[in-house]
Each structure stands twice: as structure tokens, then as C-alpha cells.
């Protein structure tokens, strides 16, 4: 039996520097998903950049029906972001996986394999804020529920909702309102989520990844 071949990780070059997300993410320009992905990436880029030495991380459309997207990596290095063209959740799925990529690239501890959302000091007020959120439930067994409630999943879901909420894009805002109206488990109500959205914006300010000027508690 031949040795299993793993896909290559994204290359790194030079020293990390603050870059726009459009410099870090390579969208599939000829895909039918291109316009919606561009819209979502522009909304995220309006909130923050990323300090990185990565070559552009490719976004690859898939036909997966079991998940809206996936972020693939090996140790500290990304491989790609995958987004399903099925299910009608292109923007939400992409932003969710982009949230995972950011979480992973801001901080990764090799010994414990912890990401920024779990241990980084800049995320501590956000961790306190999400502790008060309703615990949303998905159909499925205990293992699926544990994963859905893990801190890095809550980060990705709350990041995606914040980008949609703060996008100033009527198309993306309508998508969020529709999800909330349907009581979708991947989002929270507008009233309870607003303090969390503010804390996510403050995370990026603390990390020096945004030009936003927000009041920070002493």
C-alpha cells in the first residue's frame, strides 16, 4: 500500500506584517460563488486585517452536503478553506471558516494545540461575554453537541455573525435577519448578541488589526 499523500500547506515568506484580508485570502475567481465570496470577504476586511507572512490561502468550492465549509491545516500552517456550493450558506460558511483561520493564525500553541480564542489574553473579555449567550443546540448526539459548544466553534460562529451584522451590506444583512427569523442554531438573537459583536471588534483592536477607535475598559 502506498503512503498517503497530504496536500501541501500554504508557503510562508519574509516577516509577518499587517495585511488586508484580500492579500491573505485567494478567492476562486471563475467560480459561480465568486461574487458572494467577494462580498463576504470585503465585509470582513472592513473590520480588520491580519498580521501574517502567509502566501494567499486558497478558497476551494466543494459539493459537500454534510457541512457548509471546512478549514484545513497541519500544525501551524493552513492548507485551504473549503466552501460548499450547496445549501445556500456560502457567505455564512465562508466567514465561519475564515474565523477559524484567524483564530489559528493569531496564536497556536504546539504543545497543547490551543488556538487564540481559548487562551489569548486579547480574547478574554470576549470569552466572558459569550459565557452569557444561549447555548444553541443542533440535532445529533453528545459528540456533536460538545463540538458545537467548543470555544473555537463559538468563536467562528460569533465572528461570522459579527461580520454580517457590521457589514453595511444590505444583502448580507438580509441573510442574517433571515437566519434569525428562522431561529437558526448557528446565530443568536440581535438583542443578546450585540454585546458580543462589540467585544469581537475590541479583540481586533487589542491585537492591532483594525483602524476602528473603540472605548476599551481599563
Amino acid at each position: 500500500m502506498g503512503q498517503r499523500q497530504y496536500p501541501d500547506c500554504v508557503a510562508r515568506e519574509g516577516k509577518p506584517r499587517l495585511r488586508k484580508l484580500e492579500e491573505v485570502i485567494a478567492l476562486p475567481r471563475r467560480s459561480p460563488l465568486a461574487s458572494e465570496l467577494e462580498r463576504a470577504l470585503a465585509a470582513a476586511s472592513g473590520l480588520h486585517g491580519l498580521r501574517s507572512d502567509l502566501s494567499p490561502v486558497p478558497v476551494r468550492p466543494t459539493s459537500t452536503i454534510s457541512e457548509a465549509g471546512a478549514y484545513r491545516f497541519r500544525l501551524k500552517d493552513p492548507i485551504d478553506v473549503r466552501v460548499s456550493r450547496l445549501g445556500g450558506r456560502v457567505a455564512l460558511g465562508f466567514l465561519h471558516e475564515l474565523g477559524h483561520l484567524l483564530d489559528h493564525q493569531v496564536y497556536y500553541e504546539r504543545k497543547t494545540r490551543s488556538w487564540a480564542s481559548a487562551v489569548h489574553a486579547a480574547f478574554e473579555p470576549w470569552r466572558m461575554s459569550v459565557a452569557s449567550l444561549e447555548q444553541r443546540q443542533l440535532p445529533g448526539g453528545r459528540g456533536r453537541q460538545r463540538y458545537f459548544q467548543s470555544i473555537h466553534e463559538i468563536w467562528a460562529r460569533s465572528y461570522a455573525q459579527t461580520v454580517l451584522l457590521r457589514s453595511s451590506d444590505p444583502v448580507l444583512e438580509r441573510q442574517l435577519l433571515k437566519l434569525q427569523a428562522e431561529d437558526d442554531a448557528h446565530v443568536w438573537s440581535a438583542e443578546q448578541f450585540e454585546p458580543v459583536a462589540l467585544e469581537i471588534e475590541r479583540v481586533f483592536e487589542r491585537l492591532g488589526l483594525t483602524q476602528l477607535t473603540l472605548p476599551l475598559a481599563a
Side-chain angles (χ1 to χ4, degrees), residues 6 20 66 73 148 160 180 186 197:
Y6 289 93
K20 295 179 63 176
S66 59
F73 63 95
F148 196 59
Q180 290 171 325
H186 291 84

Side-chain angles (χ1 to χ4, degrees), residues 91-92 95 160-167 172-173 175-176 179:
L92 184 70
L95 291 172
Q161 182 166 346
T162 299
V163 175
L164 295 178
L165 179 64
R166 298 291 198 251
S167 66
L172 297 179
E173 290 171 346
Q175 290 185 20
L176 175 56
L179 291 167

Side-chain angles (χ1 to χ4, degrees), residues 153-193:
E153 273 297 297
I154 293 174
W155 164 259
R157 285 153 50 204
S158 61
Y159 171 81
Q161 182 166 346
T162 299
V163 175
L164 295 178
L165 179 64
R166 298 291 198 251
S167 66
S168 299
D169 184 317
V171 174
L172 297 179
E173 290 171 346
R174 284 197 297 271
Q175 290 185 20
L176 175 56
L177 289 173
K178 183 174 184 294
L179 291 167
Q180 290 171 325
E182 295 171 348
D183 196 28
D184 191 287
H186 291 84
V187 299
W188 293 270
S189 69
E191 182 178 354
Q192 67 171 307
F193 188 74

Side-chain angles (χ1 to χ4, degrees), residues 26-41:
L27 298 180
R29 299 299 179 185
R30 296 183 180 181
S31 168
L33 309 185
S35 61
E36 189 168 357
L37 291 171
E38 287 171 0
R39 185 184 297 272
L41 183 60

